[in-house]
Structure formats: C-alpha cells, structure tokens
Amino acid sequence: MPLLYKVPEDEMMRSYYAILTADIVSSRNLQDKSLWLLPFKSFLVEAQKRYGYYQNDWSFYRGDGFQISMNPLYAFEFSIVLRSFLKSLPIFNAHEMDIRISVGLGVQTYQANVVAESDGPAYQYSGKLLDKMANLGWNLALSSPWPDLNEEMKVVLKLLDLLTKHWTIVQARTVHDSLYRPGTQQELAKKWKITQPAVQKRIQRANIDAIKMVDERYRTLVSKYIYD
C-alpha cells in the first residue's frame, strides 16, 4: 500500500496542479494494444525532461485509462502534443482511434507514490469531467475552480476540436514536430525531406498558428488565476 502524506496547508495555498485524465477512444478496434501502447509509453518517458514531470507522475489504469500530474502552464500544449503523437501512428490512425483528455486544475491534498492514488480537487475536476465527455462528444476539455476560465476554454476547445479531430497522419506529425521539436522551416524541410514552401503549406493546413494562439491565451489566463 503506497504511503500517503498530507500536503502542508501553506503549500496547498500556492501549489496548483494540472491533472490530465485520459482514455483511448475506440481502443477495441485494435486487439493488440501493444502496437500503440509501447511507443506511447516510450514517448511519455522521453517527454519528462521537456515538461518537467517524473516517472511517478503518470500511470495507466483500467486498461486504457491514463493519468498524469504536471505544471498547469504546460497542460494545453502537452495535451495537443500527446494527441498529435498518437494520431501520427499509422496503426492508431488506421483503426480510427483517438484520445479523450480531461484537464483538471486545482490543488492536490494527498500525494501518493502512484499518481492514480493521489487526491485533491484537481483530480476530482479531471475525473468527473472525463466521465461526461463521451456523451458530450468532446475530446479535450478543462475544469477548474474558476467559472470564467471554464466557460472561455469550453468554447475555445470545442472549436479547436473541429480543427484537430480529423487530422491526417501528415497533419498530426506536423503538429507534433512543430510543438514538441520546434525548429526553423529550413530545419523542418530537411527533416521531412520536402521543400521550404511545402513546409509552409503543411503548417498552414495543420492550423499551427491557431493552436499556438490558444496555448498563449491559455497560459495567460492560468497565470492570472494562479499567480496574481
């Protein structure tokens, strides 16, 4: 049984977390889930350094369920990077699979050495929202203690989902590389083995500018509520 400890009240007042709770949509379409699960786990390990989380900050549960705790400012970008990584996998795309992600913002009152056994408002916001998302047809949503933030992000994320739910493999890879491994268009042209004008077209079709604008707005709002 993992040992739990209560986070000190002074730390609770200043420590906000983003809890991402997710499940795989249409996972039963593919019997051998190792074909997507193994590269997914490798990516999560690789991304730890960039997004500042640790091995015990993420875990799988209930088969295809997944949960991760991280800095709130990184939560939106990480959600998009995660989704674009999975949708860039040919096997994932071929079986019309997707990932549904619920982002809960708030404090953590109990911390375990397994993230799925930790607790607090951030976990409750995330878990309760995920339970509703399938019926609402949402693939990315956010819940927090701040109603104004929730309302604005609900509209923005719904519109963004219309741009991202039908990504092709090429578009998903474009988003992933542009956010997770950003570089100049010349560097991307060399990596993708295409011309620079072709890189520009890919970036436009993948709506990278719109995604970055949403991320910038999200970070501005979250910073205001958490740090002001």
Side-chain angles (χ1 to χ4, degrees):
M1 177 70 69
L3 296 176
L4 298 176
Y5 67 88
K6 191 169 184 178
V7 180
E9 290 188 8
D10 60 341
E11 184 176 338
M12 287 170 54
M13 292 299 291
R14 58 185 172 80
S15 296
Y16 283 86
Y17 295 81
I19 306 301
L20 280 62
T21 308
D23 57 16
I24 302 300
V25 179
S26 302
S27 61
R28 294 181 181 179
N29 291 352
L30 181 62
Q31 291 186 345
D32 186 0
K33 71 176 186 178
S34 66
L35 295 175
W36 65 264
L37 185 57
L38 293 180
F40 185 30
K41 286 184 175 180
S42 296
F43 169 72
L44 290 173
V45 172
E46 176 191 312
Q48 288 177 185
K49 185 176 294 186
R50 175 174 174 81
Y51 292 104
Y53 60 87
Y54 300 95
Q55 187 75 32
N56 62 347
D57 286 330
W58 60 272
S59 65
F60 286 84
Y61 67 97
R62 293 189 310 185
D64 295 333
F66 165 77
Q67 195 165 58
I68 185 168
S69 171
M70 66 183 348
N71 185 318
L73 295 181
Y74 302 150
F76 173 77
E77 180 185 305
F78 183 78
S79 297
I80 297 297
V81 166
L82 202 61
R83 192 178 185 192
S84 63
F85 172 79
L86 286 171
K87 290 180 76 69
S88 70
L89 299 176
I91 194 70
F92 203 85
N93 206 290
H95 288 80
E96 299 181 341
M97 297 163 66
D98 207 333
I99 185 170
R100 184 182 296 118
I101 304 173
S102 168
V103 179
L105 303 182
V107 297
Q108 175 178 270
T109 53
Y110 280 94
Q111 181 174 323
N113 58 14
V114 178
V115 68
E117 296 182 14
S118 298
D119 196 16
Y123 293 85
Q124 295 157 18
Y125 286 129
S126 184
K128 290 178 181 178
L129 180 59
L130 185 69
D131 291 339
K132 300 177 183 177
M133 287 173 63
N135 291 333
L136 295 171
W138 296 349
N139 287 319
L140 179 59
L142 177 143
S143 182
S144 78
W146 307 292
D148 289 346
L149 174 63
N150 295 341
E151 285 302 310
E152 178 167 342
M153 293 308 299
K154 180 171 71 174
V155 174
V156 171
L157 295 179
K158 181 60 178 177
L159 291 173
L160 185 65
D161 190 47
L162 297 176
L163 299 178
T164 60
K165 68 189 307 180
H166 298 300
W167 275 337
T168 64
I169 292 177
V170 170
Q171 288 173 328
R173 285 176 177 166
T174 301
V175 173
H176 181 77
D177 287 351
S178 297
L179 296 180
Y180 184 62
R181 297 187 177 90
T184 65
Q185 289 192 11
Q186 291 89 340
E187 291 170 336
L188 291 174
K190 184 176 181 180
K191 179 178 181 179
W192 296 339
K193 298 180 181 179
I194 58 176
T195 64
Q196 187 175 339
V199 168
Q200 180 64 26
K201 288 182 180 180
R202 280 194 185 184
I203 289 174
Q204 290 175 344
R205 289 171 181 167
N207 296 293
I208 297 296
D209 288 344
I211 292 171
K212 289 182 177 180
M213 288 176 65
V214 173
D215 184 42
E216 183 177 350
R217 177 61 176 164
Y218 166 81
R219 292 184 192 231
T220 298
L221 289 172
V222 171
S223 296
K224 173 185 175 183
Y225 284 105
I226 292 180
Y227 301 116
D228 280 3

